[in-house]
PDB file of all heavy atoms in Angstrom:
ATOM      1  N   LEU Q   5      15.668-109.816  43.377  1.00 97.00           N
ATOM      2  CA  LEU Q   5      16.597-110.404  42.405  1.00 97.00           C
ATOM      3  C   LEU Q   5      16.625-109.562  41.134  1.00 97.00           C
ATOM      4  O   LEU Q   5      15.569-109.238  40.565  1.00 97.00           O
ATOM      5  CB  LEU Q   5      16.198-111.838  42.080  1.00 97.00           C
ATOM      6  CG  LEU Q   5      17.007-112.504  40.972  1.00 97.00           C
ATOM      7  CD1 LEU Q   5      18.460-112.720  41.418  1.00 97.00           C
ATOM      8  CD2 LEU Q   5      16.384-113.824  40.539  1.00 97.00           C
ATOM      9  N   THR Q  16      32.919-106.515  16.623  1.00 97.00           N
ATOM     10  CA  THR Q  16      32.015-107.427  15.973  1.00 97.00           C
ATOM     11  C   THR Q  16      32.172-107.386  14.446  1.00 97.00           C
ATOM     12  O   THR Q  16      32.723-106.435  13.902  1.00 97.00           O
ATOM     13  CB  THR Q  16      30.552-107.153  16.343  1.00 97.00           C
ATOM     14  OG1 THR Q  16      30.294-105.749  16.124  1.00 97.00           O
ATOM     15  CG2 THR Q  16      30.302-107.433  17.805  1.00 97.00           C
ATOM     16  N   PHE Q  47      19.768-104.438  34.360  1.00 98.00           N
ATOM     17  CA  PHE Q  47      21.103-103.809  34.439  1.00 98.00           C
ATOM     18  C   PHE Q  47      21.817-104.036  33.140  1.00 98.00           C
ATOM     19  O   PHE Q  47      21.666-105.064  32.471  1.00 98.00           O
ATOM     20  CB  PHE Q  47      21.890-104.452  35.591  1.00 98.00           C
ATOM     21  CG  PHE Q  47      23.321-104.008  35.676  1.00 98.00           C
ATOM     22  CD1 PHE Q  47      23.652-102.853  36.330  1.00 98.00           C
ATOM     23  CD2 PHE Q  47      24.331-104.772  35.100  1.00 98.00           C
ATOM     24  CE1 PHE Q  47      24.990-102.433  36.416  1.00 98.00           C
ATOM     25  CE2 PHE Q  47      25.671-104.365  35.175  1.00 98.00           C
ATOM     26  CZ  PHE Q  47      25.988-103.201  35.837  1.00 98.00           C
ATOM     27  N   HIS Q  53      38.582-102.025  28.534  1.00 97.00           N
ATOM     28  CA  HIS Q  53      39.766-102.655  27.992  1.00 97.00           C
ATOM     29  C   HIS Q  53      40.578-101.625  27.191  1.00 97.00           C
ATOM     30  O   HIS Q  53      40.042-100.582  26.780  1.00 97.00           O
ATOM     31  CB  HIS Q  53      39.416-103.847  27.094  1.00 97.00           C
ATOM     32  CG  HIS Q  53      38.783-104.957  27.821  1.00 97.00           C
ATOM     33  ND1 HIS Q  53      37.399-105.024  28.010  1.00 97.00           N
ATOM     34  CD2 HIS Q  53      39.280-106.039  28.425  1.00 97.00           C
ATOM     35  CE1 HIS Q  53      37.115-106.133  28.723  1.00 97.00           C
ATOM     36  NE2 HIS Q  53      38.228-106.751  28.964  1.00 97.00           N
ATOM     37  N   LEU Q  79      22.818 -98.793  35.100  1.00 98.00           N
ATOM     38  CA  LEU Q  79      23.952 -98.731  34.164  1.00 98.00           C
ATOM     39  C   LEU Q  79      25.253 -98.751  34.948  1.00 98.00           C
ATOM     40  O   LEU Q  79      25.428 -97.968  35.894  1.00 98.00           O
ATOM     41  CB  LEU Q  79      23.865 -97.438  33.350  1.00 98.00           C
ATOM     42  CG  LEU Q  79      22.570 -97.230  32.562  1.00 98.00           C
ATOM     43  CD1 LEU Q  79      22.496 -95.829  31.989  1.00 98.00           C
ATOM     44  CD2 LEU Q  79      22.451 -98.276  31.449  1.00 98.00           C
ATOM     45  N   SER Q  88      44.682 -98.821  37.723  1.00 97.00           N
ATOM     46  CA  SER Q  88      45.394 -97.966  36.757  1.00 97.00           C
ATOM     47  C   SER Q  88      44.644 -96.686  36.429  1.00 97.00           C
ATOM     48  O   SER Q  88      44.865 -96.079  35.378  1.00 97.00           O
ATOM     49  CB  SER Q  88      45.673 -98.772  35.459  1.00 97.00           C
ATOM     50  OG  SER Q  88      44.452 -99.254  34.903  1.00 97.00           O
ATOM     51  N   VAL Q  94      37.493 -91.380  38.639  1.00 98.00           N
ATOM     52  CA  VAL Q  94      36.497 -92.429  38.460  1.00 98.00           C
ATOM     53  C   VAL Q  94      35.174 -92.016  39.159  1.00 98.00           C
ATOM     54  O   VAL Q  94      34.094 -92.133  38.587  1.00 98.00           O
ATOM     55  CB  VAL Q  94      36.996 -93.775  39.030  1.00 98.00           C
ATOM     56  CG1 VAL Q  94      35.875 -94.814  39.027  1.00 98.00           C
ATOM     57  CG2 VAL Q  94      38.178 -94.298  38.206  1.00 98.00           C
ATOM     58  N   SER Q  99      29.662 -90.215  38.972  1.00 98.00           N
ATOM     59  CA  SER Q  99      28.669 -89.296  39.547  1.00 98.00           C
ATOM     60  C   SER Q  99      28.011 -88.495  38.433  1.00 98.00           C
ATOM     61  O   SER Q  99      26.826 -88.144  38.519  1.00 98.00           O
ATOM     62  CB  SER Q  99      29.287 -88.391  40.615  1.00 98.00           C
ATOM     63  OG  SER Q  99      30.250 -87.497  40.051  1.00 98.00           O
ATOM     64  N   GLY Q 114      37.484-103.441  40.005  1.00 95.00           N
ATOM     65  CA  GLY Q 114      38.287-104.650  40.029  1.00 95.00           C
ATOM     66  C   GLY Q 114      39.677-104.350  39.549  1.00 95.00           C
ATOM     67  O   GLY Q 114      40.022-103.233  39.193  1.00 95.00           O
ATOM     68  N   GLY Q 116      40.947-106.274  37.071  1.00 79.00           N
ATOM     69  CA  GLY Q 116      40.945-106.613  35.660  1.00 79.00           C
ATOM     70  C   GLY Q 116      41.790-107.841  35.352  1.00 79.00           C
ATOM     71  O   GLY Q 116      42.763-108.135  36.061  1.00 79.00           O
ATOM     72  N   GLN Q 131      53.523-103.200  41.565  1.00 94.00           N
ATOM     73  CA  GLN Q 131      52.675-102.630  42.620  1.00 94.00           C
ATOM     74  C   GLN Q 131      51.197-102.999  42.458  1.00 94.00           C
ATOM     75  O   GLN Q 131      50.313-102.329  42.986  1.00 94.00           O
ATOM     76  CB  GLN Q 131      52.838-101.099  42.621  1.00 94.00           C
ATOM     77  CG  GLN Q 131      54.222-100.608  42.966  1.00 94.00           C
ATOM     78  CD  GLN Q 131      54.292 -99.089  42.986  1.00 94.00           C
ATOM     79  OE1 GLN Q 131      53.815 -98.408  42.070  1.00 94.00           O
ATOM     80  NE2 GLN Q 131      54.891 -98.564  44.043  1.00 94.00           N
ATOM     81  N   TRP Q 154      42.421 -87.759  53.807  1.00 98.00           N
ATOM     82  CA  TRP Q 154      42.919 -89.110  53.526  1.00 98.00           C
ATOM     83  C   TRP Q 154      44.406 -89.034  53.202  1.00 98.00           C
ATOM     84  O   TRP Q 154      44.885 -88.063  52.624  1.00 98.00           O
ATOM     85  CB  TRP Q 154      42.134 -89.698  52.336  1.00 98.00           C
ATOM     86  CG  TRP Q 154      42.549 -91.073  51.936  1.00 98.00           C
ATOM     87  CD1 TRP Q 154      42.043 -92.261  52.387  1.00 98.00           C
ATOM     88  CD2 TRP Q 154      43.570 -91.420  51.013  1.00 98.00           C
ATOM     89  NE1 TRP Q 154      42.688 -93.305  51.779  1.00 98.00           N
ATOM     90  CE2 TRP Q 154      43.623 -92.835  50.929  1.00 98.00           C
ATOM     91  CE3 TRP Q 154      44.464 -90.668  50.228  1.00 98.00           C
ATOM     92  CZ2 TRP Q 154      44.530 -93.508  50.093  1.00 98.00           C
ATOM     93  CZ3 TRP Q 154      45.367 -91.330  49.400  1.00 98.00           C
ATOM     94  CH2 TRP Q 154      45.378 -92.741  49.343  1.00 98.00           C
ATOM     95  N   PRO Q 161      48.569 -86.353  50.229  1.00 97.00           N
ATOM     96  CA  PRO Q 161      47.387 -86.455  51.077  1.00 97.00           C
ATOM     97  C   PRO Q 161      46.318 -85.433  50.698  1.00 97.00           C
ATOM     98  O   PRO Q 161      46.591 -84.454  49.998  1.00 97.00           O
ATOM     99  CB  PRO Q 161      47.926 -86.164  52.483  1.00 97.00           C
ATOM    100  CG  PRO Q 161      49.163 -85.361  52.243  1.00 97.00           C
ATOM    101  CD  PRO Q 161      49.748 -85.876  50.961  1.00 97.00           C
ATOM    102  N   SER Q 188      40.393-111.366  48.174  1.00 96.00           N
ATOM    103  CA  SER Q 188      39.539-110.341  47.568  1.00 96.00           C
ATOM    104  C   SER Q 188      38.125-110.402  48.121  1.00 96.00           C
ATOM    105  O   SER Q 188      37.463-109.348  48.262  1.00 96.00           O
ATOM    106  CB  SER Q 188      39.532-110.531  46.048  1.00 96.00           C
ATOM    107  OG  SER Q 188      40.809-110.334  45.483  1.00 96.00           O
ATOM    108  N   ARG Q 210      31.016-124.307  42.722  1.00 96.00           N
ATOM    109  CA  ARG Q 210      32.338-124.314  43.402  1.00 96.00           C
ATOM    110  C   ARG Q 210      32.639-122.982  44.078  1.00 96.00           C
ATOM    111  O   ARG Q 210      33.593-122.893  44.881  1.00 96.00           O
ATOM    112  CB  ARG Q 210      33.442-124.708  42.433  1.00 96.00           C
ATOM    113  CG  ARG Q 210      33.750-123.662  41.369  1.00 96.00           C
ATOM    114  CD  ARG Q 210      34.697-124.222  40.305  1.00 96.00           C
ATOM    115  NE  ARG Q 210      34.957-123.251  39.257  1.00 96.00           N
ATOM    116  CZ  ARG Q 210      35.990-122.428  39.241  1.00 96.00           C
ATOM    117  NH1 ARG Q 210      36.857-122.408  40.259  1.00 96.00           N
ATOM    118  NH2 ARG Q 210      36.152-121.576  38.233  1.00 96.00           N
ATOM    119  N   GLY Q 233      26.496-110.971  43.642  1.00 98.00           N
ATOM    120  CA  GLY Q 233      26.117-111.150  42.242  1.00 98.00           C
ATOM    121  C   GLY Q 233      27.093-112.057  41.523  1.00 98.00           C
ATOM    122  O   GLY Q 233      28.175-112.366  42.039  1.00 98.00           O
ATOM    123  N   ILE Q 262      42.927-114.799  22.829  1.00 94.00           N
ATOM    124  CA  ILE Q 262      43.399-114.449  24.190  1.00 94.00           C
ATOM    125  C   ILE Q 262      44.243-115.594  24.744  1.00 94.00           C
ATOM    126  O   ILE Q 262      45.273-115.375  25.405  1.00 94.00           O
ATOM    127  CB  ILE Q 262      42.203-114.122  25.076  1.00 94.00           C
ATOM    128  CG1 ILE Q 262      41.514-112.831  24.581  1.00 94.00           C
ATOM    129  CG2 ILE Q 262      42.657-113.946  26.540  1.00 94.00           C
ATOM    130  CD1 ILE Q 262      40.197-112.567  25.251  1.00 94.00           C
ATOM    131  N   GLU Q 265      47.899-115.631  23.794  1.00 93.00           N
ATOM    132  CA  GLU Q 265      48.701-114.681  24.540  1.00 93.00           C
ATOM    133  C   GLU Q 265      49.086-115.216  25.915  1.00 93.00           C
ATOM    134  O   GLU Q 265      50.115-114.819  26.478  1.00 93.00           O
ATOM    135  CB  GLU Q 265      47.928-113.381  24.718  1.00 93.00           C
ATOM    136  CG  GLU Q 265      47.553-112.686  23.427  1.00 93.00           C
ATOM    137  CD  GLU Q 265      46.604-111.505  23.657  1.00 93.00           C
ATOM    138  OE1 GLU Q 265      46.329-111.195  24.830  1.00 93.00           O
ATOM    139  OE2 GLU Q 265      46.140-110.899  22.680  1.00 93.00           O
ATOM    140  N   ASP Q 321      23.025-108.420  14.904  1.00 97.00           N
ATOM    141  CA  ASP Q 321      21.676-108.981  14.818  1.00 97.00           C
ATOM    142  C   ASP Q 321      21.517-110.156  15.773  1.00 97.00           C
ATOM    143  O   ASP Q 321      20.452-110.323  16.392  1.00 97.00           O
ATOM    144  CB  ASP Q 321      21.353-109.385  13.374  1.00 97.00           C
ATOM    145  CG  ASP Q 321      22.283-110.468  12.836  1.00 97.00           C
ATOM    146  OD1 ASP Q 321      23.481-110.466  13.184  1.00 97.00           O
ATOM    147  OD2 ASP Q 321      21.812-111.342  12.060  1.00 97.00           O
ATOM    148  N   ARG Q 325      18.992-110.331  19.085  1.00 98.00           N
ATOM    149  CA  ARG Q 325      18.064-111.440  19.252  1.00 98.00           C
ATOM    150  C   ARG Q 325      18.265-112.112  20.591  1.00 98.00           C
ATOM    151  O   ARG Q 325      17.302-112.473  21.291  1.00 98.00           O
ATOM    152  CB  ARG Q 325      18.232-112.432  18.094  1.00 98.00           C
ATOM    153  CG  ARG Q 325      17.303-113.666  18.171  1.00 98.00           C
ATOM    154  CD  ARG Q 325      15.853-113.273  18.147  1.00 98.00           C
ATOM    155  NE  ARG Q 325      15.002-114.456  18.105  1.00 98.00           N
ATOM    156  CZ  ARG Q 325      13.741-114.483  18.558  1.00 98.00           C
ATOM    157  NH1 ARG Q 325      13.210-113.386  19.116  1.00 98.00           N
ATOM    158  NH2 ARG Q 325      13.030-115.573  18.480  1.00 98.00           N
ATOM    159  N   ILE Q 327      19.434-110.676  23.311  1.00 98.00           N
ATOM    160  CA  ILE Q 327      18.896-109.747  24.312  1.00 98.00           C
ATOM    161  C   ILE Q 327      17.376-109.873  24.394  1.00 98.00           C
ATOM    162  O   ILE Q 327      16.790-109.901  25.471  1.00 98.00           O
ATOM    163  CB  ILE Q 327      19.314-108.295  23.979  1.00 98.00           C
ATOM    164  CG1 ILE Q 327      20.813-108.125  24.169  1.00 98.00           C
ATOM    165  CG2 ILE Q 327      18.541-107.295  24.834  1.00 98.00           C
ATOM    166  CD1 ILE Q 327      21.357-106.813  23.632  1.00 98.00           C
ATOM    167  N   TYR Q 330      16.439-113.114  26.140  1.00 98.00           N
ATOM    168  CA  TYR Q 330      16.794-113.023  27.543  1.00 98.00           C
ATOM    169  C   TYR Q 330      15.765-112.186  28.309  1.00 98.00           C
ATOM    170  O   TYR Q 330      15.277-112.580  29.377  1.00 98.00           O
ATOM    171  CB  TYR Q 330      18.189-112.399  27.681  1.00 98.00           C
ATOM    172  CG  TYR Q 330      18.706-112.289  29.110  1.00 98.00           C
ATOM    173  CD1 TYR Q 330      19.138-113.412  29.803  1.00 98.00           C
ATOM    174  CD2 TYR Q 330      18.820-111.064  29.735  1.00 98.00           C
ATOM    175  CE1 TYR Q 330      19.617-113.321  31.075  1.00 98.00           C
ATOM    176  CE2 TYR Q 330      19.330-110.960  31.007  1.00 98.00           C
ATOM    177  CZ  TYR Q 330      19.728-112.078  31.690  1.00 98.00           C
ATOM    178  OH  TYR Q 330      20.236-111.969  32.960  1.00 98.00           O
TER     179      TYR Q 330
END
Side-chain angles (χ1 to χ4, degrees):
L5 174 67
T16 51
F47 173 84
H53 295 88
L79 303 170
S88 57
V94 172
S99 65
Q131 296 182 313
W154 180 91
S188 296
R210 69 189 177 93
I262 294 170
E265 298 172 5
D321 62 325
R325 179 60 175 154
I327 291 169
Y330 182 73

